[in-house]
């Protein structure tokens, strides 16, 4: 396995030069375009890593399935889905368009920015500080890593430049999909996106969803089976934004990407995978990361279909 991963990294490294690191959040420009790493943790808790597997980067949109799980644990599901839909949007992750053109104006799903902002608003807590503490402790619990922290520079950079997300937040509030203070919701959203992780953390979280919410090592149930299933289903239908169909066809694994260059994949009952490659394609997915997952899906027969 170790040599398969090493070879996959070296054969796909060339694709990193075809992509670009995210620049619309200024702090993300500092990423190294050539970085590429992977970590797999299987159901027997064997860990295999290669390349830049332990470099830190921000989780960005991979926070969306995690916050969705928390929102579904904190609220009645009917209430959650009265605020956010269940359908792929077919639009870029930061599109605002369907908030106007959809009949209901409801954000399409929790994996795109508009839907994720609505989901973040559902995290329970008496004030922003308590919500933030609950949010970060949930990430730490899923990753089994108490040292996870918010990258303050990325958080500030995003808060300063996130006017498109701000616009969506105010539309969502106007149309009844967010209750409470929009700036507080956005603050929490920017913070969840700025949590710093590595591929090991992603593989660990991916494994938990793969194992239907039970911690493999301790047997502890952390997320219900139904919620784990829902999260993986959203990852299949919407996890790679408007490239989700192509990814399902070529790779066939529930996965979620982020503009920090991460991809978290969850192979039901088998393994969690974390990939990192900050050079992105036009749709905001890690360009070499996609290739790596395509290769591994074939080599290790991971396609769930
Ligand atoms: N924080 C990013 C944003 O809101 C997340 C987007 C992403 O990773 N696709 O724009």
């Amino acid at each position: 396995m170790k040599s398969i991963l090493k070879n996959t990294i070296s054969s796909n490294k060339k694709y990193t030069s075809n992509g670009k690191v995210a620049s619309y959040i200024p702090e993300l420009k500092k990423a190294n375009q050539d970085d590429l790493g992977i970590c797999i943790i299987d159901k027997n808790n064997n860990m295999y890593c290669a390349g830049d597997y332990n470099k830190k980067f921000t989780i960005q949109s991979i926070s969306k399935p995690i916050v969705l799980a928390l929102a579904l644990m904190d609220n009645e599901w009917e209430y959650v889905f009265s605020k956010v839909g269940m359908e792929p949007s077919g639009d870029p992750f930061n599109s605002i368009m369907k908030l106007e053109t959809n009949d209901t104006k409801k954000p399409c799903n929790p994996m795109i920015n508009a839907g994720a902002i609505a989901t973040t608003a559902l995290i329970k807590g008496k004030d922003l500080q308590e919500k933030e503490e609950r949010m970060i402790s949930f990430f730490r619990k899923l990753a089994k890593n108490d040292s996870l922290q918010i990258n303050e520079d990325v958080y500030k950079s995003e808060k300063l430049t996130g006017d498109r997300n701000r616009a969506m937040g105010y539309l969502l509030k106007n149309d009844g999909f967010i209750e409470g203070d929009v700036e507080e919701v956005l603050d929490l959203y920017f913070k969840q996106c700025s949590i710093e992780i590595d591929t090991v953390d992603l593989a660990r979280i991916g494994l938990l969803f793969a194992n239907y919410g039970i911690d493999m090592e301790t047997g502890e149930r952390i997320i219900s089976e139904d919620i784990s299933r829902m999260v993986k289903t959203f990852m299949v239908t919407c996890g790679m934004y408007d490239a989700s169909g192509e990814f399902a066809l070529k790779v066939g694994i529930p996965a979620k990407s982020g503009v920090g260059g991460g991809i978290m994949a969850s192979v039901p009952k088998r393994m969690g995978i974390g990939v990192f490659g900050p050079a992105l394609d036009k749709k905001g997915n890690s360009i070499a990361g996609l290739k790596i997952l395509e290769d591994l899906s074939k080599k290790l027969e991971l396609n769930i279909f």
Side-chain angles (χ1 to χ4, degrees), residues 24-25 60-61 64 93 113 158 165 189 193 241 257-259:
Y24 76 100
I25 300 171
Q60 298 299 336
S61 279
K64 291 169 180 169
F93 68 82
N113 289 13
E158 190 158 348
N165 287 326
Y189 171 76
C193 291
Y241 325 112
S257 61
V259 292

Side-chain angles (χ1 to χ4, degrees), residues 44 78 92 104 110 122 168 173 193 199 205 224-225 231 302 305:
N44 300 317
E78 292 72 18
T104 59
L122 297 167
M168 285 187 231
K173 165 97 190 200
C193 291
T199 64
I205 302 171
S224 77
E225 185 175 332
V231 167
L302 303 179
F305 302 108

Side-chain angles (χ1 to χ4, degrees), residues 96-164:
I96 208 163
M97 190 167 59
K98 288 207 167 77
L99 292 183
E100 263 304 273
T101 57
N102 259 356
D103 280 0
T104 59
K105 304 196 167 183
K106 196 199 272 191
C108 295
N109 68 73
M111 301 292 119
I112 51 169
N113 289 13
I117 294 166
T119 317
T120 299
L122 297 167
I123 297 175
K124 290 260 160 79
K126 65 174 184 312
D127 53 23
L128 182 59
Q129 192 189 343
E130 188 178 288
K131 289 178 191 175
E132 183 184 331
E133 278 164 12
R134 289 191 66 246
M135 183 269 288
I136 186 107
S137 353
F138 190 62
F139 278 68
R140 287 180 184 144
K141 185 158 182 113
L142 267 54
K144 298 176 83 160
N145 181 353
D146 284 341
S147 65
L148 291 191
Q149 294 289 357
I150 289 164
N151 178 322
E152 289 295 324
D153 293 336
V154 174
Y155 157 65
K156 283 186 200 133
S157 181
E158 190 158 348
K159 195 176 164 89
L160 208 65
T161 56
D163 290 328
R164 196 175 176 86

